[in-house]
Amino acid sequence: MALKQISRNKCFGGFQKVFEHNSVELKCKMKFAIYLPPKAETEKCPALYWLSGLTCTEQNFITKSGFHRAASEHGLVVIAPDTSPRGCNIKGEDESWDFGTGAGFYVNATEDPWKTNYRMYSYVTEELPQLINAHFPVDPQRMSIFGHSMGGHGALICALKNPGKYKSVSAFAPICNPVLSSWGKKVFTGYLGTDESKWKAYDATHLVKSYPGSHLDILIDQGKDDEFLLDGQLLPDNFIAACTEKKIPVVLRLQEGYDHNYYFIATFITDHIRHHAKYLNA
Amino acid sequence: MEEEAGEEPGFDSTPAPRVFQFYHMDLYDSEDRLQIFPAENARIRRETVQAEVTGEPSGEGEGKDQRDLHEDVGELARLYGLEDDHEIGDDEFVDEHRMRGSGYPPYGMKRTDAAGEQSDWRRSTEAAEAQELGYGGWGLAGQCQDLREAYRYTQGRASEEYECYVIPEEEDEEEAADVFCVTCKIPVRADGKNFDDHREHEVTPLNKALESAKEEIHKNMYKLEKQIIEMENFASHLEEVFITVEENFGRQEQNFESHYNEILETLAQKYEEKIQALGEKKKEKLESLYGQLVSCGENLETCKELMETIEEMCHQEKVDFLKDAVTMADRLGEFLKTETDGEISAQPDFEDQTLDFSDVDQLMGAINTIPAPSAPVINPQAPNSATGSSVRVCWSLYSDDTVETYLLSYRPVRDSSPGKDQAEFTLTVKETYCSVRNLEPNTQYEFWVVAQNRAGLSPSSEHAVYMTAPSPPIIKCKEIRSCEEAALVCWESGNLNPVDSYTVELTPVETPGASGVTESLVGIPTCEALIQLLPGQSYVIYVRALNVGGPSARSESATVHTTGSSFHLNKDTCHPWLTVSEDGFTVVRSERKTLAREPLPSNTRFTRCVAVMGNLIPVRGRHYWEVEVDERVDYTVGVAFEDVPKQEDLGANCLSWCMRHTFASSRHKYEFLHNRTTPDIRITVSPRKIGILLDYENSRLSFFNADIPQHLYTFSCQLHQFVHPCFSLEKPGCLKIHNGIAKPKHVTFY
C-alpha cells in the first residue's frame, strides 16, 4: 500500500497533508487528507476520522472547517477521506449529486454494479485505519469519528455498529434516520437493493435500538435553518427519541439561525474537537 | 630488580609489616582492614626506602673523593636514619615518621587501594627501580653502582632491623588477645595457653570489651566534662559573689562613714550650742553680781555721808542742830526706809543642766540602718509579654538603693466608670518584676510600684498602663469557604474590646511531601482572612488575636481541605418554603402547601423562585460542585450575582445563569437560561447528578451530566463580580449538593 503525498502544508505548527493510495477495498485510487499536529512529531497521537457529506472530497473539510487550531492544541491527528470511490467508470455514477460519485453513503454496496467499488463502510472502518496506523504516528487504541450530513450518518453508524471501536462520536446535521428520508431511500435502494430490512443495518436510529450499551457520548449540532432539516432529510428527533428510550447519551444542540453548510461547521468545530479530545486524551 | 627479588621473600617472611598494626589509628579499624595490611605495608616500606635512596645524592655530593662506599654507606644510611629519627631501632615509629615526613600520601588514603596487593607491589618496585636507573643516568656509573649497593645495604639492614625488633612483636601478635576477661580485666587469647585460667571467668570478645571500655571512658569523660562545666559555673558564681561582697561592703562603708560624719557634726553642733549657752549664763550672772556690788557701794557711800552729816550736826549750835536734826531725821528715816538688799542676786554655783542627746542617740541608732529608697521607675509594657490573664510588669530603681520589698499596686483602667472606685490590688514582690495573674483578657491595667526597706517606703513610681493579651478568637468552622488555591476563614473576635489585629497560623497535615512548617499571616485587621493555599492539601488553621500586650492563645483549630471548592448555603437567602437540612447541603421543598402566601419582597431572600444561594469563596479560579437531583423534580441550578433580583426567577435576568429542568407529561425539558433565553438543546439521558464548573479564568459556566460524564452546555459569561451557586426547586422535592470534590478530569476540557 504505497502512499503518494499529494500536498503538504504547515498549519498551526503541524502539517496538513494529502495522500493518494490504491484502495484494495474500493479498487481505485483514493485520496485522503491527514492533519498531523506538532505533538505527533514526538509521540503517537489519537486519530479522529472526519466523514464528509454529499458531493464533498477530502478537500472541503480541510479548507473550510477551520479545525486545525483545535486539533493542534489537543494533539489530534485528523483524517478526512474522500466520500466515495472515484473514476470507477460505473454507469450512472456521475448522474446525480446524491448518488454515486461523492455519495458513497458509507455503506458496503451489495447491488450491482456498485458492490465492487462502493464499499465505503469497510474502507473507513477497516482499510483506512489500518493504513493510517501503519504509516502515521497514531495510537490505534484511541480513535474517534465525526462527520457532517451524510458523513454524520456515516460517523453515527460506524460508531453504533462497532461498539468500543471509537471512543466518541459527534456529528453536524447528520442524516439520522435515512430509511425514512428521500436521500436514504434512493441510495439504499441503489446500493443495497429494495429489501428495506437490509437498510436498517445502516440507519443510525435503527442501530441505536440494538446498540448493546457500551458507553458512547454523542454530540450533535444541528442548524435550525438547515434546509435539509426542514426537508425531512435529517430527522434528528427520531434519533433523539430512540436514544432517549435506550438511554444513550446524546446532546443535540439545535443552533438558532444556522444552515447546513461549512460556516455552520466552522462555528462549532471547536466544540466537537474538544468533545473528542475529552475522550481521546482522557 | 634483583635487589627486590632477593628481598621479597624476606618481606613476606618477616612479620615486620604487622608492626604497623600498632599504629594508633588501627585500633579503630575493622577486621577486614587489618587483614589487608601486610600487602599495603610492603608498599609503604618500599616507598619509604625509595625515599631514602632519592635522598642520598646530597650526601653523595659531599663525598667527592673516591671513598669506598661499601664501607661508608651503612654509616651514611644510618646517618640519614638518625638525622630524621634519632633512634634507628625504633622502626615502626621511624617508618611512620618517614612516611609522613617524605611527603607520601597519608596512611589513611593508602588503605583504599588495598586490592592492588601483589601486582601493585610489583609496580611499585619497578617504579623504584626505574627511579634508581634514572638517578644512575645522571650520576657517575660508579656512584650509581655504589648507590645500588648502598640501597641494597639499607634495604637489607632495614629488614634486619625489622627482624631484630619485630620477633618479640610477632610473638605478641600470635598471642594477641582476642577476648577480654571481665573478671581479671585483662585481654586474653581465647585459644592461648593462659586461657585456662580464665575459663571460669566471664569473657567477652575483645572488640566488644574495647567498645564497652571506650564507652565507659566516654561516659567518664562526659561526667568529667559535666563536672568541669559545673566547676566553671561554680567558679563564676563565686566570682559574682566576690564582686557582690565587695560592692555591698563598699556601700556599707560609705554608709557608715556618712552616718559617722553626721553624728560628729551633730555632736560638734551640740558642743557649740552648749558652750555658747554657758558663756551667756556666766556673763549674765557676773553682770548681775556686779550691779549688786555697785549698788551696795553706793549705799555705803550714802551711809557714810549721813554719818558725817550727823556728826557735823552734833557739833553745831543747839538751834541749828535742832533745825538740821529735823531735816536730817527725815532724810535718815527716808534712807532707812530704802531696803538694803542683802541677798545675793546670783548664785555662784552652777545650776544642773541636762543635755539632750536624743537626736544623737537616734543618729547612733541609725548608723546601722539604711536610707529609705527613692521612687522606683516603672517600665512601659514590653511587647508580647502578656497573656490573656497575666502581664509581666517590670521596674527598676537607682542602683545604690537598698530595697527589701516592692509593693506593686494595680487597678483596671475603665473609661466607662471614672467616678466609680475601682478595686485596687497590691502585691508584695522581692524582685524587680512580677507576673500579675488572674487578670481579665484584653484589658488595660494601671500599675505603680513603691519600694520599701527598714527605713521606710519610697515615693510611688509613675503609673504605667499594661494590657493583657486578648482572648483567643473563635473560628466559625461552619462558615469556612475554600477552593483549590485559597480558603476564606472567618472568626469571632472573642473579645469585647477591639484588638489590634489577628494572626492566622496554618500547618499542612499528613502529606509526606509537605513541609509541615507552620506559616503565619499577621496583621489581619478584620475577623476574616483569604488565605492562599496549595491545591489538594489539608491544613490545620489557628487564629490568634493580638494587642499591645501580645498574642492571645491559639483558637480552637479548624481544618481546611483544598480539594475542590467548598461553600455553604446562605440561609439568609433561603426562600421560606425551602428547608436546608442539618448537614447544610440538602435543600428540601416539602409537599405541604400551607405556606401559600407569597413572602414579602426582599433584597436578600428569594421571594419568587423557591431558591437558596450558596456562599462561594471570592476567588477568581475554577470552581466545581455537583448537585444530585431527582429526574422527576423541576429544579434550577446555576450561579447568580449576590445582588440578583430576588423577586425574579433564576435565569430571568442578566445577573444569573442556570440550567432548568422541567418534567411534564413524561418529557424532560432542559433549558440553559440567561436573561430569559435558552439555547434549544435536547438531552437523551436525564442527569441524576449535575456537575457545574464555574471558570472565572475563561468566563465560562459549564454543566455536565456528572455520572456519564457528559458535557451538557457551556455559557460564556462576563463575570465582572463574584457569583454564587444557586439552587431552586420549582416543585416539591430535594436537591443534594456535593461540595469540596476534586474536579473530574473531563471537565478540564471545558
Side-chain angles (χ1 to χ4, degrees), chain B residues 52 120 125-126 128 233 237 396 468 501 537 547 571 604 613 662:
Chain B
E52 257 181 282
D120 219 19
T125 53
E126 276 161 19
N233 286 346
H237 181 65
S396 56
T468 48
S501 68
Q537 306 272 334
N547 66 14
K571 286 176 185 166
T604 52
M613 190 180 260
T662 39

Side-chain angles (χ1 to χ4, degrees), chain B residues 91-396:
Chain B
D91 261 18
E92 82 261 30
F93 177 72
V94 166
D95 271 20
E96 186 186 29
H97 195 88
R98 281 182 194 163
M99 185 183 74
R100 289 177 181 171
S102 57
Y104 279 89
Y107 189 60
M109 284 172 66
K110 283 278 170 219
R111 287 183 195 148
T112 52
D113 50 27
E117 293 203 336
Q118 190 68 4
S119 62
D120 219 19
W121 185 86
R122 289 274 177 206
R123 240 179 278 130
S124 171
T125 53
E126 276 161 19
E129 196 186 25
Q131 204 160 347
E132 273 177 75
L133 289 170
Y135 170 66
W138 62 262
L140 289 164
Q143 281 177 333
C144 178
Q145 181 59 40
D146 290 340
L147 271 172
R148 285 190 187 203
E149 290 293 332
Y151 175 45
R152 186 189 346 198
Y153 184 82
T154 325
Q155 292 285 64
R157 193 181 159 75
S159 53
E160 248 171 73
E161 282 160 12
Y162 275 114
E163 234 163 339
C164 300
Y165 183 77
V166 162
I167 286 163
E169 287 289 329
E170 187 187 13
E171 272 170 7
D172 268 13
E173 200 48 42
E174 271 174 8
E175 291 293 323
D178 53 3
V179 294
F180 186 77
C181 175
V182 178
T183 318
C184 305
K185 297 206 187 318
I186 53 163
V188 293
R189 192 165 170 79
D191 52 355
K193 21 188 193 286
N194 296 333
F195 188 66
D196 291 349
D197 301 345
H198 306 283
R199 201 156 299 280
E200 301 298 316
H201 296 169
E202 190 191 337
V203 292
T204 56
L206 191 59
N207 281 351
K208 217 171 145 191
L210 186 68
E211 282 302 315
S212 65
K214 277 202 285 188
E215 204 177 302
E216 186 67 25
I217 285 169
H218 282 307
K219 264 188 212 161
N220 286 336
M221 276 170 69
Y222 178 67
K223 275 184 200 162
L224 278 172
E225 269 171 30
K226 256 171 72 179
Q227 213 160 333
I228 287 168
I229 291 164
E230 274 169 24
M231 292 298 282
E232 279 172 355
N233 286 346
F234 183 65
S236 62
H237 181 65
L238 280 178
E239 239 170 76
E240 277 172 27
V241 171
F242 186 84
I243 291 161
T244 314
V245 165
E246 262 190 354
E247 278 177 0
N248 286 350
F249 275 80
R251 201 180 299 156
Q252 202 59 30
E253 274 166 27
Q254 271 184 356
N255 228 348
F256 183 76
E257 196 183 321
S258 69
H259 270 95
Y260 181 75
N261 287 340
E262 202 179 341
I263 291 168
L264 283 186
E265 264 173 40
T266 315
L267 281 173
Q269 199 185 335
K270 286 235 179 276
Y271 171 79
E272 283 294 319
E273 279 171 11
K274 204 72 203 173
I275 291 298
Q276 204 179 346
L278 284 173
E280 274 168 16
K281 199 80 188 170
K282 182 174 135 193
K283 196 177 158 196
E284 187 192 330
K285 281 202 176 197
L286 289 177
E287 273 174 6
S288 142
L289 286 171
Y290 181 75
Q292 213 172 1
L293 195 64
V294 169
S295 79
C296 194
E298 276 171 4
N299 278 347
L300 202 62
E301 285 289 307
T302 314
C303 283
K304 277 184 187 166
E305 192 198 304
L306 281 172
M307 282 295 284
E308 278 172 18
T309 315
I310 289 164
E311 260 175 40
E312 275 176 22
M313 273 170 40
C314 289
H315 292 297
Q316 277 177 357
E317 295 291 319
K318 286 178 187 171
V319 180
D320 290 338
F321 174 72
L322 282 173
K323 211 172 83 186
D324 289 342
V326 175
T327 326
M328 198 59 213
D330 291 346
R331 203 180 141 193
L332 195 62
E334 198 183 321
F335 175 74
L336 287 172
K337 265 182 207 166
T338 62
E339 201 185 329
T340 25
D341 188 6
E343 293 286 308
I344 294 168
S345 62
Q347 293 303 314
D349 54 336
F350 187 74
E351 290 107 7
D352 185 35
Q353 284 201 342
T354 51
L355 280 169
D356 181 15
F357 282 111
S358 62
D359 47 351
V360 179
D361 281 345
Q362 202 184 329
L363 278 172
M364 294 290 280
I367 202 154
N368 287 323
T369 63
I370 35 180
S374 48
V377 178
I378 195 158
N379 296 357
Q381 184 169 19
N384 300 337
S385 61
T387 71
S389 65
S390 72
V391 292
R392 191 184 148 97
V393 187
C394 293
W395 58 90
S396 56

